[in-house]
Amino acid sequence: MSTVDQKLVKRQRFEGVFSQIVEELLQFLQSQNMPKEAVDWYKRNLEYNTPGGKLNRGLSVVDTVEILLCSDGKRELSEEEYVQAAVLGWCVELLQAYFLVADDMMDASITRRGHPCWYRVEGVANIAINDAFMLEAAIYHLLKIHFKGKPYYGHLLELFHDVTFQTELGQLIDLITAPEDSVDLSKFSLDKHHLIVVYKTAFYSFYLPVALAMRMCEVDDEKLYQQAQDILIPLGEYFQIQDDYLDCYGAPEVIGKIGTDILDNKCSWNINVALAHATPEQRKVLDENYGRKDAQCEQKVKDVFNAENIDLKAKFADYERQSYDRIHALIQNIPEDSGLKRSVFVTFFDKVYKRSK
């Protein structure tokens, strides 16, 4: 079976668990005597907003559990173990869906994953606020159903609560630093960008899937969780900086979208590097043109990005090399005989290093 076929089979098996999860959630609504229209609405909310993306976060939970329990090649996950890992993975995807439904309303976004944002679907509008809450609530209902009797149940709850709060802190910094309708580049800095990226993206996208898998595999040494975080947070930051770079320099036909960070006044790595190296004349061009809904303004900003003294392409290449060396060294520092396997992080790193989309 080819690698592409293996990925497809893995995704299909994972998606099969989602169907089970939806059924469990709808059965709960029915047990509470919710009217049919409420049950149907929730089903549509779950199916419209949760699957459909790359599912990397959710699949990473399953991958990590497999590495921790089965990397010696002596066995495979039992069906029960697989379902438990997949449920945790879908809880991460539900958290992502909750964030995205709310984020799209805050940003007044138009499309998500090639479809209208949920709040823009006919008949939804502000009901999407409650729908976002219901996506989050599903996480805790599923954890109770599948893990309440487990010794690590409390740790799972704590992880989701902590990471949700961390992500919302990152969103707060982003919203007050770079509102789309009010451009003030004096609020931007690489330090601010670091905070936004770490709190808004790295904790829930990189640390959470691995930490959940470690809890399920009953890894008890708290030092290993700190070591995992010390690797995964820089990896998450590297991933987001790649994303920022590709928004400007990636091929639209490869990344699947046309970059809009400049037009949308995003506090991206690109603009912050440019601000750190710009001459007074270049700074004036950035102040006058960044965040303007105008293609000519966008091009003037890109011209500054490409200027010889800034040269974002070269600076990103340097950053990528330094990130590889730093993260690789952190991975190699994991003791071979610890309850944490280096391959967990190598697998993550291989997925994102030098990606083009």
Side-chain angles (χ1 to χ4, degrees):
M1 188 183 296
S2 70
T3 302
V4 173
D5 289 340
Q6 288 175 339
K7 287 182 178 179
L8 181 60
V9 169
K10 180 185 285 190
R11 184 184 175 105
Q12 288 174 339
R13 186 182 184 192
F14 186 62
E15 288 174 332
V17 176
F18 182 67
S19 299
Q20 173 188 325
I21 283 172
V22 171
E23 190 59 35
E24 289 173 350
L25 292 167
L26 298 184
Q27 285 175 1
F28 174 71
L29 265 66
Q30 290 162 349
S31 74
Q32 303 300 301
N33 297 317
M34 291 294 108
K36 183 178 184 298
E37 55 265 37
V39 176
D40 291 345
W41 185 284
Y42 194 32
K43 183 175 189 287
R44 187 178 174 214
N45 174 18
L46 289 163
E47 293 179 343
Y48 192 95
N49 293 303
T50 313
K54 297 175 185 175
L55 305 182
N56 284 339
R57 294 167 182 84
L59 285 166
S60 292
V61 180
V62 179
D63 290 344
T64 303
V65 170
E66 286 181 335
I67 290 170
L68 292 176
L69 295 182
C70 308
S71 61
D72 58 7
K74 294 179 181 177
R75 74 178 187 95
E76 296 182 351
L77 293 181
S78 68
E79 182 62 22
E80 181 182 5
E81 288 171 333
Y82 178 82
V83 170
Q84 287 178 337
V87 168
L88 287 177
W90 280 112
C91 284
V92 179
E93 293 294 335
L94 282 162
L95 185 67
Q96 159 89 337
Y98 158 57
F99 290 148
L100 295 185
V101 169
D103 193 52
D104 287 342
M105 293 190 76
M106 286 182 265
D107 289 348
S109 298
I110 305 299
T111 60
R112 170 71 65 182
R113 297 169 177 167
H115 300 285
C117 295
W118 178 241
Y119 80 98
R120 291 181 61 85
V121 171
E122 186 176 357
V124 177
N126 284 342
I127 299 174
I129 298 171
N130 192 62
D131 289 337
F133 297 156
M134 291 187 71
L135 291 168
E136 184 196 26
I139 297 167
Y140 299 100
H141 184 76
L142 292 167
L143 292 177
K144 184 170 71 173
I145 290 175
H146 291 273
F147 300 99
K148 190 173 182 181
K150 302 293 184 183
Y152 50 84
Y153 176 57
H155 288 298
L156 298 181
L157 295 176
E158 185 176 68
L159 269 169
F160 274 104
H161 285 308
D162 288 351
V163 169
T164 299
F165 194 17
Q166 287 164 326
T167 307
E168 289 162 350
L169 289 171
Q171 174 74 340
L172 172 63
I173 302 168
D174 195 13
L175 289 169
I176 63 178
T177 299
E180 194 170 337
D181 59 352
S182 178
V183 182
D184 182 358
L185 297 185
S186 68
K187 293 183 177 181
F188 287 18
S189 70
L190 283 167
D191 287 340
K192 194 78 69 71
H193 178 264
H194 168 78
L195 269 178
I196 293 169
V197 167
V198 167
Y199 280 86
K200 187 176 176 180
T201 301
F203 276 111
Y204 93 90
S205 297
F206 286 81
Y207 177 66
L208 179 61
V210 172
L212 290 171
M214 291 168 66
R215 290 298 180 191
M216 180 183 153
C217 296
E218 300 193 52
V219 175
D220 295 324
D221 187 347
E222 295 300 323
K223 293 178 187 172
L224 295 178
Y225 289 89
Q226 186 59 55
Q227 194 160 21
Q229 185 172 306
D230 290 344
I231 296 169
L232 292 164
I233 297 306
L235 184 53
E237 183 173 19
Y238 164 63
F239 175 86
Q240 185 58 53
I241 288 174
Q242 276 182 316
D243 221 45
D244 291 355
Y245 178 79
L246 290 171
D247 184 89
C248 186
Y249 293 102
E253 64 273 14
V254 175
I255 64 175
K257 64 178 182 179
I258 297 172
T260 61
D261 282 0
I262 293 172
L263 300 173
D264 294 342
N265 189 38
K266 294 295 185 183
C267 183
S268 75
W269 182 81
N270 301 332
I271 182 63
N272 281 296
V273 170
L275 289 169
H277 294 86
T279 64
E281 292 78 13
Q282 289 169 328
R283 174 58 187 259
K284 186 170 186 293
V285 172
L286 295 175
D287 282 328
E288 292 174 351
N289 293 280
Y290 197 76
R292 308 291 190 265
K293 305 290 189 183
D294 181 279
Q296 290 183 327
C297 292
E298 181 185 33
Q299 188 55 53
K300 288 177 182 178
V301 171
K302 288 184 176 181
D303 290 343
V304 173
F305 287 178
N306 294 327
E308 187 175 351
N309 64 309
I310 294 175
D311 195 356
L312 268 178
K313 288 184 178 181
K315 285 186 171 54
F316 178 75
D318 289 342
Y319 168 79
E320 190 160 50
R321 280 192 299 271
Q322 292 164 9
S323 295
Y324 177 88
D325 291 342
R326 181 164 63 113
I327 295 168
H328 183 71
L330 289 168
I331 293 171
Q332 293 307 307
N333 283 338
I334 298 172
E336 288 282 13
D337 58 350
S338 74
L340 200 55
K341 299 185 186 299
R342 293 176 185 173
S343 50
V344 168
F345 306 99
V346 172
T347 299
F348 249 103
F349 202 11
D350 287 347
K351 287 179 182 177
V352 302
Y353 183 59
K354 285 189 179 278
R355 68 189 173 99
S356 59
K357 61 180 179 179

